[in-house]
Amino acid sequence: MSTLIDFIKRHPLASGASGLVAVALGAWLAFGFFGVQGLFIDEQVSEANPFSAGPGPSGLAADETSEDLAREMNDAMQEQGMSGDAVVDEPMTADVTTLGEGTFIDRAHATSGTAKVITDGDRTFLRLEDFETDNGPDLNVYLSTAGPEGTPDDFIDLGDLKGNIGDQNYELTDDIDLDRYQTVFIWCVRFGVTFGAAPLS
């Protein structure tokens, strides 16, 4: 110990440079590798349900019915000396089925919200609603055969978590066997940690 102290006294520049290197290395580990800044920065998303009925061809306002629009069109036609009755079709809504649904449970981090698998018979999505968890590095969404308390060894990676807060959609391919893959995991790839999980039933 006395030898180290003597070295520092004789070489103050070297010890100062070593200190700077140590600080730089610590900063890189904290921010570059561990991504601690992510814990304090929320990424919010707000994706609409992919099967929500959008505006019809008439472009109706939220508080306007097709009858209102037809009446307005009839009035305009009469002003122009045109005859006939305008007919406006209501926007079509998809016949959507929920194939599975579950509530998130906490694992390594507090996680809440609902996961559901929805389909219109043509396309299928995993949808997270009222979702919230801590942010972190390399968070992905997995469908796994493991239970919510387990580890997702057999899984399908649906890609990066779009945001740690908010509603979001992940399209599923037709070859995914939902009878096998019945748990949604929010998985930290970098550290092999489950932030939260939701069983689908």
Side-chain angles (χ1 to χ4, degrees):
M1 186 63 158
S2 60
T3 304
L4 178 60
I5 293 173
D6 291 340
F7 176 82
I8 292 173
K9 287 179 179 178
R10 288 195 306 268
H11 303 89
L13 291 178
S15 63
S18 299
L20 289 175
V21 169
V23 169
L25 179 60
W28 177 82
L29 284 173
F31 294 95
F33 186 72
F34 290 104
V36 296
Q37 72 279 8
L39 294 174
F40 308 104
I41 302 173
D42 289 326
E43 293 182 25
Q44 297 190 26
V45 294
S46 182
E47 293 187 342
N49 187 312
F51 302 123
S52 293
S58 59
L60 296 178
D63 60 350
E64 186 176 27
T65 68
S66 60
E67 290 82 3
D68 294 333
L69 185 61
R71 191 177 308 108
E72 292 172 10
M73 292 175 65
N74 284 330
D75 292 343
M77 290 168 65
Q78 288 177 1
E79 288 178 5
Q80 296 296 322
M82 302 170 63
S83 61
D85 292 325
V87 178
V88 180
D89 292 332
E90 293 283 359
M92 294 183 62
T93 57
D95 184 14
V96 179
T97 303
T98 300
L99 302 178
E101 184 173 348
T103 301
F104 277 97
I105 62 171
D106 302 342
R107 290 290 303 274
H109 293 262
T111 305
S112 61
T114 302
K116 57 176 66 175
V117 176
I118 53 177
T119 184
D120 66 351
D122 182 32
R123 302 173 71 192
T124 303
F125 290 85
L126 170 69
R127 178 164 172 79
L128 310 185
E129 293 184 338
D130 301 320
F131 176 77
E132 184 169 356
T133 190
D134 291 332
N135 208 349
D138 294 339
L139 294 182
N140 281 40
V141 181
Y142 286 179
L143 274 178
S144 177
T145 59
E149 300 291 347
T151 301
D153 296 323
D154 181 4
F155 64 88
I156 296 171
D157 188 348
L158 301 181
D160 295 340
L161 182 70
K162 296 177 181 179
N164 66 300
I165 297 176
D167 300 344
Q168 49 207 285
N169 307 307
Y170 300 85
E171 188 162 10
L172 307 181
T173 56
D174 293 337
D175 59 342
I176 295 177
D177 185 355
L178 294 172
D179 290 331
R180 290 191 63 216
Y181 297 94
Q182 293 190 327
T183 306
V184 180
F185 282 84
I186 307 302
W187 179 256
C188 179
V189 177
R190 184 170 298 177
F191 298 108
V193 173
T194 299
F195 273 43
L200 300 172
S201 60

